[in-house]
């Protein structure tokens, strides 16, 4: 999914006996020329093989580091973050909570990860606006982008924008009831996922942020859907 527009550029079935990690390179092989692109992904894809693949295609990565890369995470947590000044602070609200995000970035050259040039620490302080309960989460990441290619604010934004993928899955589940679908055979699940992505993308390209409201509006007049797709 492309960060700026929120459009799905490619999708691939994950076999029943395989996992997402086995499809990473196959999926990106469908992208004609990723050179210069910055690829973000969930922590499960923080794999040395994936990083090497991206570097080989002249693309960049931002990789979230969690427990599946214990040695790398230990390296990141042991960096002298207390001595590194705060390099960014943003505030936001949404989903019934307020959030303050603080970012620190360190230049590195000896991490156990191919091509890593910078390490990132993001601290998220979230407060539930109903209960007043506050939680603090620290997220670590590594990137192949140099300091000349991305500053702390840009890195923080790229990490935050990755979660638009989760937002898309949320829309597909809650608005289209995808998880409750009874279509499970052949190409039907993938075809329906494609149609849902197309519907969401078409609405977003036309400036519609509330997908459910956009679907209801178009359902009241069939001509509106044709106009939305440029077919009227």
């Amino acid at each position: 999914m492309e960060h700026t527009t929120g459009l799905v550029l490619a999708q691939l079935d994950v076999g029943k006996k395989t996992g997402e990690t086995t499809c990473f390179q196959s999926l990106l092989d469908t992208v004609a020329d990723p050179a210069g692109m910055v690829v973000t992904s969930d922590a499960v894809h923080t794999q040395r093989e994936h990083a090497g693949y991206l570097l080989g295609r002249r693309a960049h990565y931002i990789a979230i580091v969690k427990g599946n890369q214990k040695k790398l995470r230990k390296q990141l947590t042991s960096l002298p973050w207390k001595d590194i000044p705060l390099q960014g602070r943003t505030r936001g609200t949404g989903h019934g909570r307020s959030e303050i995000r603080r970012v620190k970035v360190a230049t590195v050259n000896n991490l156990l990860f191919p091509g890593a040039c910078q390490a990132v620490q993001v601290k998220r302080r979230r407060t539930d606006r109903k209960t007043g309960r506050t939680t603090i989460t620290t997220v670590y990441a590594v990137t192949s982008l140099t300091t000349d290619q991305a500053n702390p604010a840009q890195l923080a934004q790229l990490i935050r924008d990755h979660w638009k993928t989760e937002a898309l899955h949320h829309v597909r589940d809650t608005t289209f009831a995808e998880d409750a679908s009874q279509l499970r055979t052949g190409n039907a699940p993938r075809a329906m996922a494609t149609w849902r992505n197309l519907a969401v993308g078409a609405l977003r390209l036309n400036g519609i942020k509330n997908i459910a409201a956009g679907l209801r509006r178009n359902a009241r007049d069939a001509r509106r859907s044709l106009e939305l797709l440029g077919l009227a």
Side-chain angles (χ1 to χ4, degrees):
M1 191 189 78
E2 200 275 324
H3 281 196
T4 305
T5 62
L7 296 180
V8 174
L9 304 181
Q11 64 180 34
L12 192 67
D13 287 323
V14 176
K16 293 181 179 179
K17 296 182 179 180
T18 61
E20 288 183 30
T21 55
T22 62
C23 299
F24 182 89
Q25 296 184 22
S26 299
L27 178 65
L28 289 175
D29 280 341
T30 65
V31 179
D33 184 10
M37 291 184 182
V38 181
V39 177
T40 65
S41 58
D42 295 341
V44 68
H45 294 294
T46 302
Q47 308 285 339
R48 293 174 178 81
E49 295 80 5
H50 294 350
Y53 166 83
L54 292 172
L55 295 172
R57 297 196 67 185
R58 294 179 294 122
H60 289 286
Y61 65 79
I62 295 180
I64 303 299
V65 182
K66 292 186 178 179
N68 61 323
Q69 292 287 345
K70 293 182 180 179
K71 292 183 179 179
L72 178 58
R73 183 173 174 81
K74 185 177 180 180
Q75 277 192 306
L76 293 175
T77 57
S78 64
L79 290 174
W81 294 108
K82 290 183 178 180
D83 300 328
I84 298 172
L86 184 67
Q87 293 157 302
R89 183 180 184 275
T90 59
R91 182 188 296 269
T93 58
H95 304 289
R97 66 193 181 199
S98 60
E99 182 179 79
I100 297 174
R101 296 173 294 277
R102 296 178 173 87
V103 61
K104 292 183 177 182
V105 179
T107 301
V108 292
N109 57 16
N110 61 347
L111 290 184
L112 298 172
F113 206 73
C117 293
Q118 296 189 82
V120 187
Q121 182 197 69
V122 178
K123 282 198 174 185
R124 299 174 179 148
R125 181 185 177 92
R126 291 173 174 170
T127 302
D128 188 300
R129 300 173 73 180
K130 288 185 178 180
T131 65
R133 183 171 177 266
T134 296
T135 57
I136 298 176
T137 305
T138 303
V139 177
Y140 293 98
V142 292
T143 180
S144 59
L145 293 163
T146 66
T147 55
D148 292 332
Q149 293 169 323
N151 61 38
Q154 291 170 324
L155 292 175
Q157 188 62 50
L158 284 165
I159 292 172
R160 180 163 174 74
D161 282 349
H162 173 74
W163 299 109
K164 291 180 180 178
T165 307
E166 298 300 324
L168 173 64
H169 283 294
H170 178 74
V171 169
R172 280 169 47 173
D173 182 28
T174 59
T175 303
F176 292 96
E178 185 172 67
D179 286 352
S181 174
Q182 298 300 305
L183 295 173
R184 289 183 170 81
T185 58
N187 292 321
R190 183 177 182 180
M192 289 307 300
T194 300
W195 286 114
R196 294 177 188 118
N197 288 336
L198 174 63
V200 173
L203 291 169
R204 285 179 172 167
L205 282 177
N206 283 269
I208 299 171
K209 296 182 179 181
N210 189 319
I211 303 302
L215 291 172
R216 290 193 296 269
R217 182 181 184 279
N218 282 280
R220 290 194 288 269
D221 187 340
R223 292 172 296 181
R224 292 173 179 169
S225 295
L226 296 175
E227 291 171 357
L228 194 75
L229 295 172
L231 300 176

